[in-house]
């Protein structure tokens, strides 16, 4: 119930192409869905996030599509660039007893954008 | 710039020798988290503080402890590091939903 399934594990895209990463969840109590970008040797950086009452959110070249009924969400990177090569984690957040939130992460997708 | 700072970036410790990792934040966020991330894996939550209230994950080994003396600082103590504790340790903060900011991490090596 607490799992977030992420696919694909790795992805190679040509420069200028669209990168698509998919995630699925089971627990309907999740109330916030962020995506993180992580470069080697660095901590994850919040890229974009969506709440379940919204079906799509766009920030620059990054778009989250959210399907509440299917319990699925995806990240689309338009006009992919070599600088986008990184590991991407989807996550789902839930309030926890005692305060704060707990993030359940997907397993990560290694994206490589080739020239 | 407001941020989450972790020190040191790299830490080498001997097997069984206590080690402390530190984290500071200038964001004034009331929630601070410690995550463990092993190579090619997702971050795994160890524990978090909501203000001064400590919340431990059920599967966090007793070997891992934490202190938060004030809003800005949080420490991770590993009492007797084993080879399996070699990992990147990430501190993070949040104000509302999700996690806003991760630090750059401390890479721990156990020899």
């Amino acid at each position: 119930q607490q799992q977030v399934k992420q696919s694909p594990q790795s992805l190679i895209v040509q420069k200028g192409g669209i990168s698509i990463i998919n995630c699925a969840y089971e627990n309907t109590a999740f109330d916030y869905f962020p995506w993180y970008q992580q470069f080697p040797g660095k901590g994850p950086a919040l890229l974009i996030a969506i709440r379940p009452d919204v079906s799509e959110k766009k920030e620059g070249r990054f778009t989250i599509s959210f399907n509440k009924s299917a319990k699925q969400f995806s990240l689309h990177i338009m006009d992919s660039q070599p600088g986008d090569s990184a590991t991407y984690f989807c996550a789902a957040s839930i309030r926890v007893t005692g305060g704060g939130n707990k993030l359940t992460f997907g397993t990560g997708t290694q994206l490589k954008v080739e020239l | 710039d407001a941020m989450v700072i972790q020190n040191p970036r790299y830490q080498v410790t001997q097997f069984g020798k206590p080690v402390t990792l530190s984290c500071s934040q200038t964001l004034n966020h009331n929630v601070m988290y410690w995550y463990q991330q092993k190579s090619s894996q997702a971050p795994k939550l160890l524990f978090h503080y909501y203000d001064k209230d400590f919340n431990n994950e059920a599967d966090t080994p007793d070997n891992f402890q934490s202190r938060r003396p004030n809003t800005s600082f949080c420490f991770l103590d590993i009492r007797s590091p084993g080879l399996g504790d070699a990992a990147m340790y990430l501190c993070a903060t949040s104000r509302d939903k999700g996690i806003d900011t991760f630090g750059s991490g401390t890479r721990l090596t156990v020899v």
Side-chain angles (χ1 to χ4, degrees), chain A residues 31 36 38 51 99 101-102, chain B residues 37 48 57 96-97 99:
Chain A
D31 60 2
Y36 295 89
Q38 187 174 27
R51 297 177 191 266
N101 307 280
K102 179 173 179 176
Chain B
Q37 186 177 26
H48 78 277
E57 290 299 297
D96 186 17
K97 293 192 180 292
I99 288 181

Side-chain angles (χ1 to χ4, degrees), chain B residues 19-43:
Chain B
V19 65
T20 295
L21 310 182
S22 72
C23 177
S24 64
Q25 57 134 337
T26 59
L27 297 157
N28 205 34
H29 286 171
N30 60 335
V31 191
M32 293 186 77
Y33 304 82
W34 279 105
Y35 280 84
Q36 178 192 65
Q37 186 177 26
K38 295 190 175 181
S39 183
S40 301
Q41 294 184 20

